[in-house]
Amino acid sequence: MAGHEIRSFHALGTYSQWGIVESWSICPEDEGWTQRKPEHGKTYFEYLKNYENLQTTFNPTDFNPQKWADAAKAAGMKYVVFTTKHHDGFAMFDTKESDYKITSTKTPFSSNPKANVTKEIFNTFRNDGFKIGAYFSKPDWHSEYYWWPYFPPKDRNVNYDPKKYPERWQKFKDFTYNQINELTSEYGQVDILWLDGGQVRPLETVDKSVDWQQTIKVDQNIDMDRIGGMARKNQPGLIVVDRTVPGNWENYVTPEQAIPEHPLDIPWESCITMGDSFSYVPNDNYKPTKKIVETLVKIISRGGNYLLNIAPGPKGDYDQAAYDRLNELSAWMKINQSAVYATRTVAPYHQGDYYYTRSKDSKIVNVFHLSAGDAYQQPNEYVFQVPENFKVKKSQFWAIKADWIGRNVITRSP
């Protein structure tokens, strides 16, 4: 996590066919903001059945991981994080633990040579020099060992008390362990295990000041020491991100759709969508490239990495708008990469419209100037504070794509 990087994040699943927010609509707790549509089911259980039947029509025939990798690499990205399984439990890899997967004969795409989507993405991006991250949901709303059909689900949590039914919970722990073992032993080098679903955690780690954690009423200890130990044995040096669960396995923190106001003293990465949604939504509102660049500058000035989410559609490809943003970002990164990669924070970090990074050897400070509005407004003069004890040898302004951002480079005197 040293230095700064921009990464590519992808959420592709059966839910793309309905253009809904990932698999959240099958969670009773979240029916408000996910807006279940009546045409997909008149009752919750009819909706759930129809949702699970999306497996039988999922056929992303335009899936081309090389096209993704080419665009991401040109845009300066160094890592990829792919959603191998979201909360609905539909596996985008060839798991042996469930038939609810893209390689099942129930899924039309299973006959495609690229049916094992996770394997194709990992191999393609790895061959292009990317580090590989596997997003994996700890909760699994399709598994009878998490949402037991004997009880109706009521929220995002397990729908029974694991302490009352320890044998059933053990089966879920083993199920999860086995799937993560598959991902970390059968798919080549994996650099990051990005675990989502923070409700699956020891009860004593619940933070009641956080709204969504207030729904966690029972212990959901999945034995992360066992899982993490196995995964790191399979992949020495593996970074594990047990999101929102403090302890040995939250190796860095992942603020979602937000940027910390100040530098943090721990490794971190902001996970932010290119559009409004983490998954494909028709006619999504894609952020302009100026906004993406400004977000990157704010993140690196505070010492973080930028995980940029791009949502493939039901046919397995991005909207053209996403490629357009990546192409424009590519032009900016070619000029500014020295101010982004392997840089460090430097006080004052951020003052007004100015944001700072420094080179690893501290000989160069980059000062970015941002302006409000749709187009960059260059001031008559740049007035900013020089970092303390930094004696300026040379100052240079880079005339960079005037409708996005301005950048000054100052060099330390010997």
Side-chain angles (χ1 to χ4, degrees):
M1 294 291 291
H4 306 307
E5 290 161 347
I6 183 166
R7 308 178 179 195
S8 181
F9 183 38
H10 308 282
L12 173 64
T14 61
Y15 39 76
S16 63
Q17 296 173 89
W18 280 356
I20 55 178
V21 184
E22 298 167 304
S23 59
W24 280 103
S25 60
I26 64 173
C27 178
E29 171 192 357
D30 293 294
E31 61 181 305
W33 67 272
T34 54
Q35 299 178 359
R36 283 195 289 269
K37 297 177 181 178
E39 60 266 30
H40 295 154
K42 296 180 180 179
T43 67
Y44 169 77
F45 289 103
E46 183 182 1
Y47 182 94
L48 179 60
K49 181 179 179 181
N50 290 338
Y51 179 95
E52 292 182 338
N53 281 339
L54 286 171
Q55 174 184 14
T56 65
T57 55
F58 190 41
N59 197 20
T61 52
D62 291 344
F63 170 63
N64 182 350
Q66 190 62 61
K67 185 179 179 183
W68 294 5
D70 290 345
K73 187 173 184 177
M77 296 178 179
K78 300 293 186 180
Y79 282 66
V80 64
V81 177
F82 177 65
T83 303
T84 67
K85 187 184 76 168
H86 201 251
H87 310 325
D88 58 1
F90 186 79
M92 297 295 292
F93 62 103
D94 189 26
T95 180
K96 301 175 186 65
E97 299 297 309
S98 169
D99 196 43
Y100 193 50
K101 59 183 179 180
I102 195 164
T103 53
S104 166
T105 55
K106 297 177 183 178
T107 310
F109 196 64
S110 63
S111 60
N112 192 291
K114 297 179 181 178
N116 193 342
V117 166
T118 294
K119 183 177 182 179
E120 296 294 325
I121 289 173
F122 285 3
N123 287 346
T124 300
F125 276 80
R126 190 186 297 111
N127 289 340
D128 266 349
F130 284 76
K131 298 295 185 181
I132 302 300
Y135 170 110
F136 181 89
S137 169
K138 292 183 295 180
D140 188 312
W141 296 336
H142 187 264
S143 171
E144 63 176 325
Y145 304 128
Y146 194 78
W147 274 3
W148 185 6
Y150 186 76
F151 298 111
K154 59 181 183 299
D155 55 28
R156 70 182 68 188
N157 296 281
V158 62
N159 69 342
Y160 62 92
D161 186 346
K163 289 195 179 301
K164 290 183 179 179
Y165 303 96
E167 292 182 0
R168 179 167 289 271
W169 183 247
Q170 185 61 50
K171 288 180 179 179
F172 181 67
K173 290 166 64 175
D174 292 342
F175 168 83
T176 306
Y177 177 97
N178 291 340
Q179 285 198 323
I180 292 176
N181 185 37
E182 290 172 334
L183 286 170
T184 56
S185 65
E186 300 175 11
Y187 290 80
Q189 182 173 338
V190 176
D191 303 285
I192 300 172
L193 179 61
W194 211 89
L195 300 176
D196 202 6
Q199 69 268 34
V200 179
R201 67 198 296 151
L203 190 60
E204 64 268 19
T205 66
V206 171
D207 183 352
K208 291 296 185 183
S209 68
V210 179
D211 287 346
W212 67 265
Q213 292 188 32
Q214 293 174 12
T215 67
I216 306 172
K217 306 297 184 183
V218 296
D219 186 76
Q220 298 183 60
N221 190 335
I222 204 169
D223 197 350
M224 273 303 302
D225 285 343
R226 178 182 176 227
I227 289 174
M230 167 271 294
R232 197 160 283 160
K233 183 178 179 181
N234 291 340
Q235 300 285 343
L238 180 73
I239 296 172
V240 181
V241 187
D242 192 11
R243 298 187 73 204
T244 76
V245 185
N248 294 332
W249 302 105
E250 191 180 25
N251 296 162
Y252 65 82
V253 298
T254 54
E256 186 172 302
Q257 301 286 50
I259 306 170
E261 288 295 323
H262 306 284
L264 305 179
D265 59 2
I266 54 177
W268 62 276
E269 156 191 280
S270 278
C271 179
I272 298 176
T273 53
M274 181 182 279
D276 289 336
S277 172
F278 275 103
S279 57
Y280 173 79
V281 174
N283 303 311
D284 202 357
N285 179 35
Y286 287 90
K287 298 174 178 67
T289 307
K290 180 177 184 288
K291 176 69 173 178
I292 295 171
V293 169
E294 291 171 345
T295 299
L296 173 63
V297 167
K298 291 175 182 179
I299 288 172
I300 64 177
S301 72
R302 295 163 191 173
N305 284 342
Y306 185 5
L307 186 61
L308 177 62
N309 176 81
I310 307 170
K315 288 294 185 180
D317 200 4
Y318 308 153
D319 276 347
Q320 184 57 45
Y323 285 112
D324 293 342
R325 301 317 189 263
L326 292 176
N327 186 52
E328 291 178 336
L329 184 59
S330 172
W332 188 87
M333 288 296 291
K334 285 178 181 177
I335 298 172
N336 289 277
Q337 56 186 304
S338 64
V340 177
Y341 303 132
T343 55
R344 304 293 189 267
T345 59
V346 59
Y349 313 112
H350 163 220
Q351 280 195 333
D353 295 329
Y354 295 91
Y355 295 80
Y356 299 72
T357 66
R358 64 176 171 86
S359 61
K360 186 177 180 180
D361 61 10
S362 296
K363 292 182 179 179
I364 294 175
V365 168
N366 305 284
V367 185
F368 296 95
H369 178 260
L370 277 56
S371 72
D374 296 334
Y376 176 65
Q377 301 296 319
Q378 184 173 335
N380 293 328
E381 59 179 350
Y382 291 94
V383 181
F384 54 86
Q385 178 183 337
V386 174
E388 189 175 353
N389 299 321
F390 190 91
K391 295 181 180 179
V392 178
K393 176 183 179 182
K394 183 175 67 174
S395 176
Q396 180 182 3
F397 172 72
W398 291 56
I400 304 162
K401 189 71 175 172
D403 56 345
W404 289 348
I405 196 169
R407 174 178 151 223
N408 291 269
V409 180
I410 55 179
T411 308
R412 180 189 293 274
S413 294

